[in-house]
Amino acid sequence: MGSPAIAILGTGSYAPEKILTNDDLSKLVDTSDEWIFTRTGIRERHIAAPNETTSQMAAAAARLAMSDAGVTAADIDLIIVATVTPDLPMPATACFVQHQLGVPTHAACFDLNAACSGFIYALDTAWAMLGSGRYRHALVIGAEKFSSVLDWKDRTTCVLFGDGAGAVVLGPTRGTGQILGTKLYTEGAHTHLLCIPDGGSNTPDPAATGARTPRTVSMKGREIFKIAVREMEEAARDILAQHQITPAQIGCVIPHQANLRIIDAIARYLELPAERFFVNLERYGNTSAASIPLALDEARSSGRIKPGETTLFVAFGAGLTYGSALVRW
Ligand code: UT7
């Protein structure tokens, strides 16, 4: 008997109530709505309340995904939270989510750090675990309180990111949402291009050096931009070739929502009309691991995904990690 076909059974998303517009940001740093919008396509982003945690946002998205899938907490035996902004360094955010949702103790719960590619990495991992037949229903969640790792005086990074969560329930297929394939990649030579250079075992001992580097995101944006376009095109082309699907046969592409100019470049390279790409970054900014599941949930609820169509997910992020996935509805 072959391994069971695994599908996305339901989706959900959550964004914090507070909205920070580009004009609001121009009061904090030397920037403007015009610069941010023309360079990135972002108009506003959601920012979590000071006492709101990544796990709370993850659980809110997960509840909606479970309701959409018609499953309860008792049905879940695996939770993977993709995040680089965990509630605490230890234990895993997924453990907080399990408790908040009332998922049984026989569930395996852990976090996965692949930055903005985290959702595709977590989808691949959960798909393999469910495919083994040893787990039945998984919550795969991308959730970030990215505002907690931003330097709000650094205009080159603080204007780009936002907070939020997106979740899917995976389980045995009921005829739609089947995962056809995933591809994961890493270019570890580029770790320095996007990182939080403090807070880990490689942090200089402050007592010895007298100095601390900030526990905030450091990014070489221009370099990443070029690599991101190349990596995302490669990830898209490889998975399509592997499944003998042409770009034109893709109903909807859900790319990582980092920068509209990156998405437009990939559309051009794949020779697809820009309308084929689902884009919501103007309202959320880059929500890192949450970006694809949040966009997927909006794409489904707005009718952008039609029965019988194939959807391509494609992402890149710190690591540099990148990857793609194909789902048939
Ligand atoms: O999930 C992965 C996350 N990372 C990314 O997605 C990063 C990918 N890279 C990008 O999206 C783009 O490189 C950025 C949006 C970050 C920057 O756009 P760019 O067109 O590459 O601009 P740049 O870095 O070349 O900067 C152009 C100018 C500079 O001034 P000078 O040197 O020309 O005088 C910057 O200092 O724009 C200046 N600048 C700003 N001006 C107003 C940088 N940030 C801002 C800002 N407001 N927020």
Side-chain angles (χ1 to χ4, degrees):
M1 204 176 81
S3 51
I6 303 302
I8 293 176
L9 305 180
T11 60
S13 59
Y14 171 85
E17 206 178 308
K18 182 180 169 187
I19 291 173
L20 190 69
T21 65
N22 291 348
D23 285 335
D24 295 333
L25 273 166
S26 69
K27 295 179 188 107
L28 295 177
V29 287
D30 181 15
T31 192
S32 63
D33 175 53
E34 203 266 332
W35 191 96
I36 301 171
F37 186 68
T38 53
R39 301 276 177 147
T40 69
I42 300 166
R43 286 276 190 213
E44 59 189 35
R45 69 287 292 142
H46 292 252
I47 300 293
N51 61 353
E52 192 169 24
T53 61
T54 296
S55 68
Q56 288 165 351
M57 293 190 280
R63 280 188 195 98
L64 294 170
M66 289 195 297
S67 152
D68 186 38
V71 301
T72 66
D75 298 314
I76 303 294
D77 51 10
L78 172 64
I79 302 176
I80 307 179
V81 177
T83 188
V84 290
T85 51
D87 287 14
L88 296 172
M90 181 176 83
T93 304
C95 303
F96 293 101
V97 173
Q98 180 218 14
H99 184 61
Q100 288 166 38
L101 297 177
V103 165
T105 51
H106 65 251
C109 301
F110 60 94
D111 290 0
L112 187 152
N113 177 341
C116 302
S117 311
F119 178 74
I120 292 181
Y121 268 67
L123 194 72
D124 175 282
T125 306
W127 182 37
M129 290 177 76
L130 266 57
S132 76
R134 295 171 52 228
Y135 300 86
R136 193 158 170 85
H137 290 106
L139 273 169
V140 179
I141 309 170
E144 301 282 12
K145 186 174 176 176
F146 219 87
S147 60
S148 67
V149 291
L150 290 172
D151 175 354
W152 289 96
K153 293 190 201 70
D154 176 9
R155 68 175 184 174
T156 68
T157 51
C158 76
V159 304
L160 303 175
F161 296 91
D163 299 336
V168 303
V169 174
L170 291 191
T173 184
R174 300 169 188 161
T176 182
Q178 186 175 337
I179 302 174
L180 302 182
T182 52
K183 287 271 306 163
L184 307 180
Y185 311 74
T186 311
E187 279 194 279
H190 300 311
T191 47
H192 61 290
L193 293 181
L194 180 50
C195 60
I196 299 175
D198 187 22
S201 63
N202 191 19
T203 302
D205 176 2
T209 63
R212 278 185 79 76
T213 47
R215 198 169 291 191
T216 53
V217 166
S218 153
M219 186 180 79
K220 302 226 179 303
R222 217 177 305 178
E223 285 93 323
I224 289 187
F225 189 107
K226 288 181 217 142
I227 300 172
V229 173
R230 170 181 47 81
E231 289 178 342
M232 284 170 83
E233 187 196 1
E234 178 191 348
R237 285 204 185 280
D238 279 0
I239 200 165
L240 292 175
Q242 203 173 54
H243 292 270
Q244 295 166 330
I245 294 172
T246 64
Q249 289 173 301
I250 295 296
C252 182
V253 183
I254 302 191
H256 171 46
Q257 311 277 317
N259 186 320
L260 189 56
R261 290 188 294 140
I262 294 178
I263 295 171
D264 284 345
I266 293 156
R268 272 197 314 279
Y269 289 138
L270 294 179
E271 295 177 56
L272 283 176
E275 306 77 65
R276 201 71 64 86
F277 287 66
F278 184 82
V279 177
N280 65 359
L281 61 77
E282 69 277 8
R283 287 177 291 116
Y284 296 101
N286 179 349
T287 57
S288 183
S291 110
I292 288 185
L294 211 163
L296 168 65
D297 187 46
E298 286 203 343
R300 282 185 74 229
S301 57
S302 66
R304 272 296 301 277
I305 291 178
K306 309 268 184 323
E309 274 185 4
T310 303
T311 298
L312 168 68
F313 303 144
V314 60
F316 73 97
L320 296 180
T321 56
Y322 55 115
S324 49
L326 282 175
V327 174
R328 169 114 0 111
W329 301 97

